[in-house]
Amino acid sequence: MRAAPTDSTQPTRAAGPPGLSTVVLVAGLLCLASSAFLSLWWQRQLAQALEVRPPVLLLDLSAAARGADPAQMTEILRDYTQAAEGLAARGVLVLDRHAVLAAPPALTLRETEVPHAPE
């Protein structure tokens, strides 16, 4: 009969290549670090693009003036100017619609989007 090996006679495992869990852990950490770096880089690129080329809105004052009472024009003009200044303070470039040759319709700020004096 063969005797069971004791602790002193058990073969020791030689140090081999790293296990699968170590490889997965290192790959996960590299992916996490690279995605964090890319996210920060993208945010910085967007911030720089907005500094150079701010968002643009077109203000259509003539649409408000068409149906307005002449007595209210001063209030409407004041409200449009305040809305434009508020947008400019938040980094938006506000242009008069008639000063632009062509633009997508989504850039035009409509009369209903600017609070003004009741009619």
Side-chain angles (χ1 to χ4, degrees):
M1 277 197 168
R2 201 165 174 196
T6 61
D7 288 339
S8 63
T9 60
Q10 282 185 346
T12 58
R13 185 173 165 179
L20 181 62
S21 61
T22 305
V23 172
V24 169
L25 177 65
V26 169
L29 289 174
L30 286 174
C31 287
L32 179 65
S34 63
S35 65
F37 172 76
L38 286 175
S39 175
L40 291 173
W41 178 81
W42 182 251
Q43 287 177 358
R44 179 148 172 82
Q45 293 298 325
L46 180 60
Q48 286 177 344
L50 289 176
E51 286 176 11
V52 174
R53 187 180 40 219
V56 176
L57 283 178
L58 304 178
L59 195 59
D60 190 8
L61 183 57
S62 63
R66 280 187 211 119
D69 183 27
Q72 291 182 329
M73 279 307 296
T74 303
E75 292 179 47
I76 292 173
L77 182 60
R78 185 197 67 224
D79 292 337
Y80 266 69
T81 303
Q82 287 176 349
E85 289 171 353
L87 289 167
R90 291 183 290 200
V92 178
L93 177 62
V94 182
L95 300 173
D96 181 26
R97 185 181 70 88
H98 297 291
V100 176
L101 293 177
L107 291 179
T108 303
L109 195 61
R110 308 216 185 309
E111 179 183 359
T112 57
E113 298 172 309
V114 178
H116 58 82
E119 296 176 15

